[in-house]
């Protein structure tokens, strides 16, 4: 068994892959041999650049715009991927938003939007790709959670709820799908150098025992490890530079 899985002939969908962690995951999966659908919401140019980088590695790739909180958009996205690349074998639910809000400032609309993009999307995308994975009796689903699923976090209670819900769904799907060859795990980073963390970077970095933020590539490496391990399911892999309280 190799430490780096051979993903030749596998089709991956990474949501929110135009930048940040999703981009690094898309490139890492392509380097391991997968063809990749690069989902984005608004930043088409960035997504196209990721597609070009994957094609330069000799793999097939498409950019596909879709709001993952919309059932209709997710259905159209998975159909387009099936037609252009083939049905999805590896789903990485990475798309997310992190609106920094205090308890008093948080509105109902912001709470709902966060739950829709960060949590409902996991249900929508998973349900959309499962029929094919179950039919082939092989599938990998990796949900990008956060230390905020367990800690207090720096974003807000809406974000805590979305990520804790994601980890609950991870365990629920994993238990129901293990016998069918589909593994479902979460990777929970804390404090990774991306656009999402730029607003409070200097404040956050002081709280990390390792003395620096993590990189998107370090998160992608954990995703690849999970994808390569058929016996691991229902787990959350945390990576946080020793940070336990955020
Ligand atoms: P980021 O740099 O802000 O990128 C977010 C990505 O999600 C972008 O590709 C964006 O697309 C996409 N996206 C946002 N809303 C979407 C929607 N409705 N439909 C489809 N795509 C959507 O974020 P990041 O830091 O890489 O975070 C990625 C994931 O890791 C998130 O789930 C986040 O909660 C989680 N996470 C991050 C950290 C951290 O420290 N950075 C820590 C823990 C967990 P566009 O480019 O088109 O806008």
């Amino acid at each position: 068994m190799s430490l780096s899985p051979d993903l030749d002939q596998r089709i991956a969908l990474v949501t929110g892959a135009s930048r940040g962690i999703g981009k690094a995951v898309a490139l890492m999966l392509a380097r391991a041999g997968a063809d990749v659908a690069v989902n984005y919401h608004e930043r088409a140019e960035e997504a196209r650049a990721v597609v070009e980088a994957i094609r330069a590695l000799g793999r097939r790739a498409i950019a596909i715009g879709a709001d993952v909180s919309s059932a209709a958009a997710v259905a159209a996205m998975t159909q387009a991927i099936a037609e252009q690349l083939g049905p999805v074998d590896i789903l990485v639910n990475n798309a997310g938003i992190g609106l920094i809000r205090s308890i008093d400032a948080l509105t109902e609309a912001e709470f709902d939007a966060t739950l829709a993009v960060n949590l409902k999307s996991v249900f929508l995308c998973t349900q959309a790709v499962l029929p094919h994975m179950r039919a082939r009796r092989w599938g990998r689903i990796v949900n990008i959670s956060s230390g905020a699923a367990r800690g207090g976090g720096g974003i807000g209670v809406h974000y805590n709820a979305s990520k804790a819900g994601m980890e609950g769904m991870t365990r629920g799907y994993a238990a129901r799908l293990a016998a069918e060859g589909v593994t479902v795990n979460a990777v929970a980073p804390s404090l990774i150098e991306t656009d999402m963390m730029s607003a409070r970077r200097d404040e956050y970095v002081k709280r990390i025992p390792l003395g620096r933020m993590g990189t998107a590539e370090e998160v992608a490496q954990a995703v690849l490890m999970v994808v390569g391990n058929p016996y691991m399911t229902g787990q959350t892999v945390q990576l946080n530079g020793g940070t336990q309280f955020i």
Side-chain angles (χ1 to χ4, degrees):
M1 186 181 282
S2 164
L3 276 180
S4 177
D6 179 3
L7 301 181
D8 190 26
Q9 308 293 325
R10 300 293 186 195
I11 312 296
L13 163 59
V14 184
T15 68
S18 45
R19 52 200 167 101
I21 292 169
K23 174 182 176 180
V25 169
L27 289 166
M28 188 81 77
L29 292 173
R31 273 187 223 104
D35 297 329
V36 186
V38 175
N39 162 253
Y40 65 94
H41 187 212
E42 289 171 341
R43 301 202 189 185
E45 277 303 308
E46 278 98 326
R48 274 196 280 274
V50 177
V51 164
E52 287 312 312
I54 292 170
R55 289 180 180 159
L57 294 167
R59 300 294 159 190
R60 296 185 304 151
I62 57 169
I64 187 131
D67 177 351
V68 291
S69 67
S70 154
V74 168
M77 171 173 70
T78 45
Q79 190 180 336
I81 296 167
E83 286 166 7
Q84 294 175 56
L85 291 180
V88 173
D89 303 299
I90 301 165
L91 167 65
V92 181
N93 284 307
N94 166 78
I97 53 174
L99 305 168
I100 298 173
R101 293 292 183 273
S102 68
I103 289 174
D104 295 323
L106 181 65
T107 67
E108 182 181 0
E110 290 164 346
F111 184 91
D112 288 346
T114 299
L115 271 287
V117 175
N118 294 6
L119 182 60
K120 190 172 90 171
S121 65
V122 177
F123 165 69
L124 295 176
C125 293
T126 300
Q127 296 289 124
V129 301
L130 269 183
H132 164 73
M133 291 181 179
R134 297 173 97 173
R136 281 181 83 168
R137 300 190 72 78
W138 196 96
R140 296 285 181 270
I141 299 172
V142 185
N143 298 322
I144 306 301
S145 178
S146 166
R150 274 148 281 104
I155 293 179
V157 296
H158 51 312
Y159 188 77
N160 297 129
S162 70
K163 296 300 186 179
M166 177 188 253
E167 292 193 13
M169 274 171 90
T170 299
R171 292 189 295 273
Y173 275 122
R176 290 165 179 81
L177 293 167
E180 297 180 70
V182 178
T183 69
V184 188
N185 290 286
V187 167
S190 286
L191 304 177
I192 307 303
E193 196 91 60
T194 67
D195 292 347
M196 188 180 277
M197 283 298 126
S198 58
R200 293 194 173 170
R201 187 189 179 287
D202 294 342
E203 176 195 331
Y204 286 152
V205 84
K206 292 188 198 126
R207 307 190 207 172
I208 306 170
L210 196 64
R212 66 165 175 86
M213 293 179 107
T215 67
E217 287 69 28
E218 287 167 331
V219 183
Q221 191 182 48
V223 172
L224 195 66
M225 178 191 77
V226 162
V227 167
N229 194 316
Y231 201 59
M232 179 189 284
T233 193
Q235 304 303 307
T236 296
V237 177
Q238 297 185 63
L239 61 162
N240 53 31
T243 316
Q244 297 300 340
F245 53 86
I246 191 166

